[in-house]
């Protein structure tokens, strides 16, 4: 059995047959190679789909993940099965200590499926272990990351080769404006992280710290330097000299290099942790199948853009098409009487009791789009100059329905969706598939990894830690990196 698995697990995109109609696959089946805060894999009963699914089927799958650690017969692991209600399941698990041997048991109607248990030889590390043993290129391959991304190539193109010292000086001179901008200059040297921050509101540097530290625990990062913008808006207008600033949101008229948003990055790093809304959890918390959903568009959010107020007007005039309300007033406090009362948030999971989901920019791009897509909502997306790292891959009418910036065609598009339910359902499914192929935790980590790797290749000269920079340490965690280190504990 073990030998068989070693052979099977060598292939990339490994699919294991649990019976003639049960497949399982995903990064969580290679926990020795792919270290994540929460590992995950998929089980697919291929004979069942959304139409034929019944709740009994959800109850018929059980997963038990056990192991032993270096110094005990039980390795601490928390397992969570998410039922996608279409015959497929996401299994998430979190490893709290280094496991020596691990067994993944999958049962269907209380019987182990074929090829279960999967036996995996450790060390299987928890995410907090600082064990950067591999070089970057090997690690990228092991992690099954793509070699490149179009958006990254496009973003880095203006920069050719760079000498960071003069560029960072220029950025500080030009963009250091404590009242309105906040950014940090980061240095990774010998896999240690240093930063120096500028501006009044630098709390968001924790998101950049967290992803860099997380990567540095797994792999020896190349020495590199970058400036990360902590504000909402991209900074480097195209009418000026291109200076390399990494931002969470891009626009057509700026040079900023786009990183996955702090929101989706945090939900990746805190999966099965502090954050409960992420691209995996949503898929297990949807209550209604497509045909059971209310055939109206749904929206909740705060008043961060004028079109959001306009949406309320449109919704009031068309209650049979749209259910929309503001949950908070901050930008247009004087309009609260007119557009209020504000109503309490509802759980994001409940958004999917409706078929159509409206995505309107907030201060910049609305960072909820990954979640709307993965929930299988038909997204009505406002045209926008703002984009996140993955928008370039999305196509109107394939993954979402476009809506003009001034929302003038919103009701028309909703009526179209109502009149073309199977096409609308197909677009919603395409959006969900896109999210499953591009926006799950593995993909978010890969995007950062390829971005940092490509960026480091462009940096010329020695990377030096500037005097006065703050060292950002790894969080303290006791861990043994391999089976021979038992004594360290
Ligand atoms: C499950 O497998 C079937 C057959 O390969 C496929 O058509 C279906 O899309 C898969 N389901 C999911 C959710 O991936
Ligand atoms: C709008 O949605 C909320 C949450 O689903 C619901 O409680 C409310 O009744 C809906 N309003 C209308 C007019 O349908
Ligand atoms: C509603 O959600 C917003 C954004 O996620 C959050 O800032 C706010 O605190 C929430 N309010 C309540 C009452 O939960
Ligand atoms: C809304 O935008 C469209 C183009 O996207 C334009 O044709 C139309 O005139 C605009 N409507 C209003 C009321 O501004």
């Amino acid at each position: 059995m073990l030998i068989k698995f070693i052979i099977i697990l060598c292939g990339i995109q490994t699919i294991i047959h649990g019976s003639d109609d049960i497949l399982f696959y995903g990064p969580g089946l290679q926990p020795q190679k792919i270290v994540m805060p929460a590992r995950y894999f998929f089980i697919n009963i291929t004979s069942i789909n959304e139409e034929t699914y019944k709740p009994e089927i959800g109850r018929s799958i059980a997963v038990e993940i056990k192991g032993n650690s270096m110094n005990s017969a039980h390795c601490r692991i928390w397992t969570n099965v998410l039922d996608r209600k279409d015959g497929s399941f996401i299994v998430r698990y979190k490893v709290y200590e280094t496991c020596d041997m691990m067994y993944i048991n999958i049962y269907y109607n209380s019987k182990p499926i074929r090829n279960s248990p999967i036996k995996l030889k450790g060390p299987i590390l928890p995410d907090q272990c600082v064990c950067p043993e591999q070089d970057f290129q090997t690690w990228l391959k092991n992690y099954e990351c793509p070699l490149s991304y179009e958006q990254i190539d496009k973003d880095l193109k203006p920069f050719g080769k760079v000498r960071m010292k003069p560029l960072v000086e220029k950025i500080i001179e030009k963009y250091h404006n404590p009242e309105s901008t906040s950014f940090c200059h980061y240095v990774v040297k010998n896999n240690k992280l240093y930063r120096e921050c500028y501006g009044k509101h630098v709390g968001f540097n924790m998101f950049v710290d967290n992803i860099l530290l997380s990567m540095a625990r797994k792999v020896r990062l190349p020495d590199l330097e970058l400036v990360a913008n902590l504000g909402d808006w991209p900074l480097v207008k195209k009418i000026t000299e291109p200076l390399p600033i990494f931002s969470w949101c891009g626009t057509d008229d700026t040079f900023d290099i786009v990183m996955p948003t702090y929101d989706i990055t945090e939900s990746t790093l805190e999966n099965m942790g502090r954050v409960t809304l992420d691209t995996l959890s949503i898929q297990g918390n949807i209550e209604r199948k497509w045909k059971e959903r209310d055939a109206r568009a749904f929206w909740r959010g705060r008043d961060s853009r004028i079109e959001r107020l306009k949406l309320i007007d449109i919704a009031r005039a068309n209650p049979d098409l749209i259910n929309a309300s503001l949950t908070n007033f901050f930008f247009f406090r004087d309009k609260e009487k007119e557009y209020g009362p504000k109503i309490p948030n509802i759980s994001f999971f409940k958004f999917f009791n409706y078929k159509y989901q409206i995505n309107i920019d907030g201060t910049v791009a609305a960072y909820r789009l990954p979640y709307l897509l993965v929930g299988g909502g038909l997204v009505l997306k406002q045209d926008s100059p703002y984009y996140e790292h993955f928008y370039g891959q999305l196509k109107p009418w394939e993954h979402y329905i476009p809506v003009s910036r001034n929302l003038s065609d919103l009701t028309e598009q909703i009526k179209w969706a109502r009149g073309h339910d199977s096409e609308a359902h197909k677009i919603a499914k395409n959006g969900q598939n896109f999210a499953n192929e591009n926006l799950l935790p593995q993909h978010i980590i890969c995007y950062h990894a390829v971005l940092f790797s490509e960026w480091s290749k462009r940096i010329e000269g020695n990377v030096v830690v500037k005097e006065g920079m703050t060292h950002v340490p790894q969080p303290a965690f006791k861990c043994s990196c391999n089976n021979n280190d038992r004594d360290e504990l």
Side-chain angles (χ1 to χ4, degrees):
M1 194 65 142
L2 183 59
I3 289 169
K4 190 165 168 193
F5 272 101
I6 289 167
I7 294 164
I8 294 173
L9 291 178
C10 283
I12 282 187
Q13 291 286 331
T14 313
I15 294 179
I16 302 176
H17 283 260
S19 79
D20 293 336
D21 71 343
I22 302 182
L23 307 177
F24 44 113
Y25 45 87
L29 296 175
Q30 302 183 72
Q32 317 94 319
K33 280 208 263 184
I34 302 186
V35 179
M36 283 197 243
R39 289 158 165 106
Y40 58 92
F41 64 90
F42 306 93
I43 301 174
N44 181 349
I45 309 176
T46 57
S47 55
I48 293 162
N49 61 30
E50 189 181 334
E51 298 308 313
T52 57
Y53 173 88
K54 295 195 177 59
E56 310 78 274
I57 294 161
R59 292 190 291 272
S60 66
I61 285 279
V63 178
E64 189 183 41
I65 304 179
K66 292 192 293 201
N68 55 281
S69 71
M70 306 305 164
N71 40 18
S72 112
H74 298 285
C75 185
R76 281 186 299 133
I77 301 168
W78 175 36
T79 306
N80 168 228
V81 179
L82 298 164
D83 180 0
R84 291 203 280 202
K85 302 190 178 76
D86 61 357
S88 73
F89 299 81
I90 300 171
V91 181
R92 294 195 287 182
Y93 65 97
K94 206 169 168 70
V95 172
Y96 292 93
E97 62 188 320
T98 305
C99 299
D100 216 357
M101 213 43 222
M102 205 172 87
Y103 305 87
I104 300 180
N105 296 278
I106 304 173
Y107 305 93
Y108 184 48
N109 290 329
S110 309
K111 294 198 189 70
I113 63 172
R114 191 198 302 164
N115 287 328
S116 164
I118 301 176
K119 299 179 195 172
L120 298 156
K121 193 156 165 35
I124 291 160
L125 303 171
D127 190 72
Q128 301 96 317
C129 282
V130 185
C131 302
E133 272 146 28
Q134 284 167 2
D135 73 81
F136 209 7
Q137 296 311 316
T138 312
W139 180 85
L140 283 167
K141 211 164 135 207
N142 282 339
Y143 221 82
E144 299 179 357
C145 294
L147 294 172
S148 65
Y149 292 84
E150 244 175 68
Q151 185 69 49
I152 293 178
D153 294 343
K154 194 166 149 237
D155 284 352
L156 299 189
K157 200 159 175 228
F159 300 105
K161 292 274 178 196
V162 293
R163 298 193 72 83
M164 284 306 285
K165 191 166 182 288
L167 287 176
V168 172
E169 281 165 5
K170 257 192 205 160
I171 290 171
I172 294 167
E173 187 189 309
K174 203 158 161 200
Y175 294 102
H176 180 31
N177 179 350
E179 295 306 320
S180 61
T181 58
S182 299
F183 57 84
C184 299
H185 172 207
Y186 280 90
V187 165
V188 176
K189 176 84 180 176
N190 298 328
N191 219 31
K192 287 196 161 52
L193 183 62
Y194 305 86
R195 62 164 145 71
E196 184 165 29
C197 295
Y198 302 84
K200 252 190 179 164
H201 305 284
V202 296
F204 274 32
N205 62 17
M206 73 177 200
F207 299 115
V208 185
D209 294 357
N210 289 350
I211 184 69
L212 284 165
L213 290 173
S214 170
M215 302 214 49
R217 290 196 290 274
K218 302 170 177 64
V219 57
R220 281 195 306 277
L221 292 172
D223 289 353
L224 64 89
E225 261 180 89
L226 60 89
V227 174
N229 170 19
L230 306 177
D232 283 338
W233 288 277
L235 294 174
V236 192
K237 292 268 182 290
K238 277 200 175 148
I239 45 170
T240 62
E241 177 191 4
L243 289 170
I245 295 186
F246 288 64
S247 290
W248 287 306
C249 184
T251 55
D252 302 334
D253 62 354
T254 51
F255 281 120
D256 295 51
I257 299 161
V258 175
M259 315 179 270
T261 66
Y262 62 84
D263 184 287
I264 197 165
T265 303
E266 192 67 355
S267 79
T268 292
L269 298 178
E270 291 296 332
N271 212 289
M272 295 179 87
R274 271 191 299 112
V275 176
T276 51
L277 179 70
D278 59 75
T279 49
L280 298 176
S281 66
I282 287 176
Q283 300 191 62
N285 284 285
I286 294 194
E287 288 162 13
R288 298 188 192 174
K289 297 180 192 193
W290 176 264
K291 64 169 192 263
E292 294 162 357
R293 298 183 188 185
D294 189 329
R296 284 188 289 166
F298 189 77
W299 186 85
R300 291 289 181 274
R302 57 184 191 144
D303 62 337
S304 46
R305 179 168 294 273
I306 190 77
E307 289 89 16
R308 292 182 166 201
L309 304 188
K310 186 162 178 194
L311 172 65
I312 301 302
D313 288 330
I314 299 172
R316 282 178 181 165
N318 299 276
D320 55 323
L321 295 179
I322 304 171
N323 182 333
S325 295
L326 288 157
T327 54
N328 215 348
F329 286 85
F330 176 79
F331 297 86
F332 297 95
R333 285 207 172 109
D334 54 320
K335 304 256 172 142
E336 184 160 354
K337 253 206 165 72
E338 197 181 335
Y339 290 96
K342 65 178 177 193
I343 65 153
N345 291 348
I346 70 162
S347 155
F348 201 81
F349 302 144
K350 299 248 187 257
F351 279 40
F352 302 101
N353 290 343
Y354 293 78
K355 279 187 180 171
Y356 320 126
Q357 303 295 331
I358 300 170
N359 189 81
I360 302 188
D361 286 348
T363 50
V364 288
Y367 292 169
R368 68 180 73 177
L369 185 54
Y371 311 119
L372 296 180
L373 290 169
V374 90
L378 174 69
V379 175
L380 296 146
K381 185 185 172 302
Q382 181 195 25
D383 281 343
S384 168
Y386 296 108
Y387 57 82
E388 295 178 43
H389 75 282
F390 63 93
Y391 286 21
Q393 294 163 267
L394 292 175
K395 296 192 183 72
W397 299 105
E398 182 175 337
H399 302 106
Y400 66 91
I401 294 187
V403 173
S404 72
R405 187 136 189 88
N406 61 23
L407 309 184
S408 60
D409 57 358
L410 177 62
T411 54
E412 195 184 312
Q413 305 296 51
I414 297 170
K415 286 178 192 158
W416 179 89
R418 272 198 176 172
H420 299 79
D421 192 60
S422 62
E423 284 103 317
H425 190 191
K426 179 87 174 64
I427 296 171
K429 271 264 167 258
N430 291 343
Q432 186 173 40
N433 292 341
F434 174 89
N436 273 306
E437 285 156 21
N438 296 282
L439 301 172
L440 301 189
Q442 181 184 21
H443 311 125
I444 298 304
I445 294 173
C446 278
Y447 195 94
H448 282 99
V450 173
L451 177 59
F452 296 144
S453 166
E454 290 304 309
W455 180 241
S456 74
K457 288 179 197 163
R458 287 170 192 257
I459 297 173
E460 287 191 322
N462 240 345
V463 170
V464 286
V465 181
K466 239 169 81 180
E467 196 157 332
M469 281 191 133
T470 307
H471 172 226
V472 188
Q474 290 285 1
F477 186 79
K478 259 196 181 166
C479 171
S480 63
C481 291
N482 62 57
N483 291 342
N484 306 325
D485 292 349
R486 279 157 216 248
D487 295 339
E488 267 187 19
L489 280 169

